[in-house]
Amino acid sequence: MKLLVTGGAGYVGSVVTALLLEAGHDVTVLDDLSTGHRDAVPAGARTVVADVHNAADVLTPDTAAVLHFAAKSLVGESTTAPAEYWRTNVAGTLALLEAMDRHGVDRLVFSSTAAVYGEPASAAPLREDDPPVPTNPYGAGKLAVDRMLESWAHAYGLGAVSLRYFNVAGAHRGLGERHDPETHLLPNLLRAALEGTPARVHGTDHPTPDGTAVRDYLHVADLARAHLLALEAAVPGTHRVFNLGTGGGHSVREVVDTVRAVTGRPVAVHDGPRRPGDPSVLVASNERARTGLGWEPARGLAETVADAWEFTRARAAARETA
């Protein structure tokens, strides 16, 4: 199929693009490179450097579907600069949908987030029918897009699938996390392992077995594979929502211990206070994705850490020889 991938120069978008190309699809990547990297776009994809608001200039009537990753994604920044998040994530998606409608493109897979759920009332795995109560503009904007897609499906016959990510980690075929600033736990721990500098743990007084927050860590390749299945599951006139996670969680301490075991290095950590709004436990129920998409994760935490560690070392070696 001829496909458009918005945000395909970013972390998840680039890995999904790689899998789409491997499956034989014709892929165009649309990315403004504000946070993505041109060299992360896999060979074989056409790259158009432009804003998602200008998707109408890239779409053609023979485009079969769009996979939409283009977004701003820093939770903290969304609270201090909400206008940018509503403009890019919500208004940008509206512009994309209008362009799709004009060109007769009727299938979309959307990169949503567990942030739509806010702070869960219990530690039970979150289901798609649990009430969404976002606590920041980033989560609120993603939820607004989910609702926009539902109305678009009803009114215009769009076939849309929203995939709500929990904690994505790992690397695949030389593609990994390259955020600036980096706010995710695993790449920061691996940088600490590489450089011998301490990493910070946010909160040690959570009501969990070891006092640190528990999260559901999903390998990026497993996540990416779900997008190809979602592409096939996008049925005109319907909007479907799926959580993507392993169905289990690991505490920050467990992740630190796994990093030490995988790298063989004594990673030092400094304990700090909780960050405001940080849930103690955030774990996905993936039952709907298993039954509705035929998807299940294949990789565990140790393999996720090992792949991310290989990527981290390769990036460091490339910088040294540059």
Short mmCIF file of all heavy atoms in Angstrom, two decimals, residues 114-115 117-120 122-126 165-167 213-217 248-250 279-284:
data_model
loop_
_atom_site.label_atom_id
_atom_site.label_comp_id
_atom_site.label_asym_id
_atom_site.label_seq_id
_atom_site.Cartn_x
_atom_site.Cartn_y
_atom_site.Cartn_z
N ALA A 114 -1.18 6.55 27.22
CA ALA A 114 -1.77 6.24 28.52
C ALA A 114 -2.01 7.50 29.35
O ALA A 114 -2.74 7.45 30.34
CB ALA A 114 -0.86 5.29 29.30
N ALA A 115 -1.43 8.62 28.92
CA ALA A 115 -1.63 9.88 29.66
C ALA A 115 -3.08 10.33 29.64
O ALA A 115 -3.48 11.18 30.43
CB ALA A 115 -0.73 10.98 29.08
N TYR A 117 -5.46 8.65 30.70
CA TYR A 117 -6.12 8.11 31.89
C TYR A 117 -5.82 8.93 33.15
O TYR A 117 -6.53 8.81 34.15
CB TYR A 117 -5.68 6.66 32.13
CG TYR A 117 -6.11 5.71 31.03
CD1 TYR A 117 -5.17 5.13 30.18
CD2 TYR A 117 -7.46 5.42 30.83
CE1 TYR A 117 -5.56 4.26 29.17
CE2 TYR A 117 -7.85 4.55 29.82
CZ TYR A 117 -6.90 3.98 28.99
OH TYR A 117 -7.28 3.12 27.99
N GLY A 118 -4.78 9.76 33.12
CA GLY A 118 -4.44 10.55 34.30
C GLY A 118 -3.88 9.69 35.41
O GLY A 118 -3.06 8.80 35.17
N GLU A 119 -4.32 9.95 36.64
CA GLU A 119 -3.86 9.19 37.80
C GLU A 119 -4.89 8.11 38.12
O GLU A 119 -5.98 8.42 38.61
CB GLU A 119 -3.67 10.12 38.99
CG GLU A 119 -2.61 11.19 38.77
CD GLU A 119 -2.39 12.06 39.99
OE1 GLU A 119 -2.27 11.50 41.10
OE2 GLU A 119 -2.38 13.29 39.84
N PRO A 120 -4.56 6.84 37.86
CA PRO A 120 -5.53 5.76 38.10
C PRO A 120 -5.97 5.68 39.55
O PRO A 120 -5.18 5.94 40.47
CB PRO A 120 -4.77 4.50 37.70
CG PRO A 120 -3.68 4.98 36.80
CD PRO A 120 -3.31 6.34 37.30
N SER A 122 -6.75 2.97 41.07
CA SER A 122 -6.24 1.74 41.69
C SER A 122 -5.03 1.25 40.91
O SER A 122 -4.69 1.79 39.85
CB SER A 122 -7.33 0.66 41.70
OG SER A 122 -7.49 0.11 40.41
N ALA A 123 -4.40 0.21 41.44
CA ALA A 123 -3.22 -0.35 40.79
C ALA A 123 -3.58 -1.40 39.75
O ALA A 123 -2.70 -2.00 39.13
CB ALA A 123 -2.29 -0.97 41.83
N ALA A 124 -4.86 -1.65 39.54
CA ALA A 124 -5.29 -2.67 38.59
C ALA A 124 -4.90 -2.26 37.17
O ALA A 124 -4.87 -1.07 36.85
CB ALA A 124 -6.79 -2.87 38.68
N PRO A 125 -4.60 -3.23 36.32
CA PRO A 125 -4.29 -2.88 34.92
C PRO A 125 -5.43 -2.08 34.29
O PRO A 125 -6.61 -2.42 34.44
CB PRO A 125 -4.13 -4.26 34.25
CG PRO A 125 -3.70 -5.16 35.36
CD PRO A 125 -4.44 -4.67 36.57
N LEU A 126 -5.06 -1.03 33.59
CA LEU A 126 -6.04 -0.13 32.99
C LEU A 126 -6.65 -0.75 31.74
O LEU A 126 -5.96 -1.28 30.88
CB LEU A 126 -5.39 1.21 32.63
CG LEU A 126 -5.17 2.15 33.81
CD1 LEU A 126 -4.13 3.21 33.46
CD2 LEU A 126 -6.47 2.81 34.21
N TYR A 165 -0.23 4.07 24.10
CA TYR A 165 1.04 3.52 24.56
C TYR A 165 1.19 3.68 26.07
O TYR A 165 0.82 4.71 26.64
CB TYR A 165 2.23 4.25 23.94
CG TYR A 165 2.24 4.41 22.45
CD1 TYR A 165 3.15 5.28 21.86
CD2 TYR A 165 1.39 3.70 21.60
CE1 TYR A 165 3.22 5.45 20.49
CE2 TYR A 165 1.44 3.87 20.23
CZ TYR A 165 2.36 4.75 19.68
OH TYR A 165 2.41 4.93 18.32
N PHE A 166 1.83 2.70 26.67
CA PHE A 166 2.26 2.87 28.05
C PHE A 166 3.75 3.24 27.99
O PHE A 166 4.09 4.20 27.30
CB PHE A 166 1.89 1.63 28.87
CG PHE A 166 0.43 1.66 29.26
CD1 PHE A 166 -0.58 1.64 28.30
CD2 PHE A 166 0.05 1.79 30.59
CE1 PHE A 166 -1.92 1.73 28.64
CE2 PHE A 166 -1.29 1.89 30.95
CZ PHE A 166 -2.27 1.85 29.98
N ASN A 167 4.67 2.57 28.63
CA ASN A 167 6.07 3.00 28.59
C ASN A 167 6.82 2.26 27.49
O ASN A 167 7.08 1.06 27.61
CB ASN A 167 6.75 2.78 29.95
CG ASN A 167 6.35 3.84 30.94
OD1 ASN A 167 5.17 4.03 31.21
ND2 ASN A 167 7.32 4.56 31.50
N ALA A 213 7.96 3.86 41.77
CA ALA A 213 6.83 3.76 40.85
C ALA A 213 6.94 2.53 39.95
O ALA A 213 8.04 2.13 39.56
CB ALA A 213 6.74 5.02 40.00
N VAL A 214 5.80 1.96 39.62
CA VAL A 214 5.73 0.77 38.76
C VAL A 214 5.16 1.19 37.41
O VAL A 214 4.12 1.86 37.33
CB VAL A 214 4.85 -0.32 39.41
CG1 VAL A 214 4.61 -1.46 38.43
CG2 VAL A 214 5.50 -0.83 40.69
N ARG A 215 5.85 0.77 36.35
CA ARG A 215 5.41 1.09 34.99
C ARG A 215 5.45 -0.16 34.12
O ARG A 215 6.16 -1.12 34.39
CB ARG A 215 6.31 2.18 34.38
CG ARG A 215 6.23 3.53 35.08
CD ARG A 215 4.90 4.19 34.84
NE ARG A 215 4.82 5.51 35.45
CZ ARG A 215 4.39 5.76 36.69
NH1 ARG A 215 4.00 4.74 37.45
NH2 ARG A 215 4.34 6.98 37.16
N ASP A 216 4.72 -0.09 33.01
CA ASP A 216 4.59 -1.18 32.05
C ASP A 216 5.52 -0.86 30.87
O ASP A 216 5.23 0.00 30.05
CB ASP A 216 3.13 -1.27 31.60
CG ASP A 216 2.82 -2.51 30.80
OD1 ASP A 216 3.76 -3.10 30.23
OD2 ASP A 216 1.64 -2.89 30.75
N TYR A 217 6.65 -1.57 30.79
CA TYR A 217 7.67 -1.28 29.78
C TYR A 217 7.51 -2.22 28.58
O TYR A 217 7.64 -3.44 28.71
CB TYR A 217 9.07 -1.42 30.37
CG TYR A 217 9.35 -0.40 31.44
CD1 TYR A 217 9.09 -0.68 32.78
CD2 TYR A 217 9.83 0.87 31.11
CE1 TYR A 217 9.32 0.27 33.77
CE2 TYR A 217 10.06 1.82 32.09
CZ TYR A 217 9.80 1.52 33.42
OH TYR A 217 10.02 2.46 34.39
N GLY A 248 1.91 -6.28 32.57
CA GLY A 248 2.59 -6.37 33.87
C GLY A 248 3.48 -5.17 34.07
O GLY A 248 3.70 -4.39 33.15
N GLY A 249 4.00 -5.01 35.27
CA GLY A 249 4.81 -3.83 35.56
C GLY A 249 6.13 -4.15 36.23
O GLY A 249 6.31 -5.24 36.79
N HIS A 250 7.04 -3.19 36.16
CA HIS A 250 8.32 -3.27 36.85
C HIS A 250 8.55 -1.95 37.58
O HIS A 250 8.27 -0.87 37.04
CB HIS A 250 9.47 -3.49 35.86
CG HIS A 250 9.42 -4.82 35.17
ND1 HIS A 250 9.88 -5.98 35.75
CD2 HIS A 250 8.94 -5.17 33.94
CE1 HIS A 250 9.69 -6.99 34.91
NE2 HIS A 250 9.13 -6.53 33.81
N PRO A 279 1.67 8.90 38.87
CA PRO A 279 0.94 7.77 39.46
C PRO A 279 1.91 6.76 40.05
O PRO A 279 3.02 6.58 39.55
CB PRO A 279 0.18 7.18 38.28
CG PRO A 279 0.19 8.24 37.22
CD PRO A 279 1.43 9.02 37.43
N SER A 280 1.49 6.08 41.10
CA SER A 280 2.36 5.06 41.70
C SER A 280 2.45 3.83 40.82
O SER A 280 3.52 3.20 40.70
CB SER A 280 1.83 4.67 43.08
OG SER A 280 1.93 5.77 43.98
N VAL A 281 1.34 3.45 40.19
CA VAL A 281 1.31 2.27 39.32
C VAL A 281 0.57 2.63 38.04
O VAL A 281 -0.52 3.19 38.08
CB VAL A 281 0.60 1.08 40.01
CG1 VAL A 281 0.56 -0.12 39.07
CG2 VAL A 281 1.30 0.71 41.32
N LEU A 282 1.18 2.28 36.91
CA LEU A 282 0.55 2.53 35.61
C LEU A 282 0.85 1.33 34.72
O LEU A 282 1.93 1.20 34.15
CB LEU A 282 1.10 3.81 34.98
CG LEU A 282 0.32 4.41 33.81
CD1 LEU A 282 -1.10 4.77 34.23
CD2 LEU A 282 1.03 5.65 33.27
N VAL A 283 -0.13 0.43 34.64
CA VAL A 283 0.03 -0.83 33.91
C VAL A 283 -1.18 -1.02 33.01
O VAL A 283 -2.31 -0.70 33.39
CB VAL A 283 0.17 -2.01 34.89
CG1 VAL A 283 0.19 -3.34 34.14
CG2 VAL A 283 1.43 -1.86 35.74
N ALA A 284 -0.95 -1.57 31.82
CA ALA A 284 -2.02 -1.75 30.84
C ALA A 284 -2.62 -3.14 30.92
O ALA A 284 -1.92 -4.13 31.09
CB ALA A 284 -1.47 -1.53 29.44
#
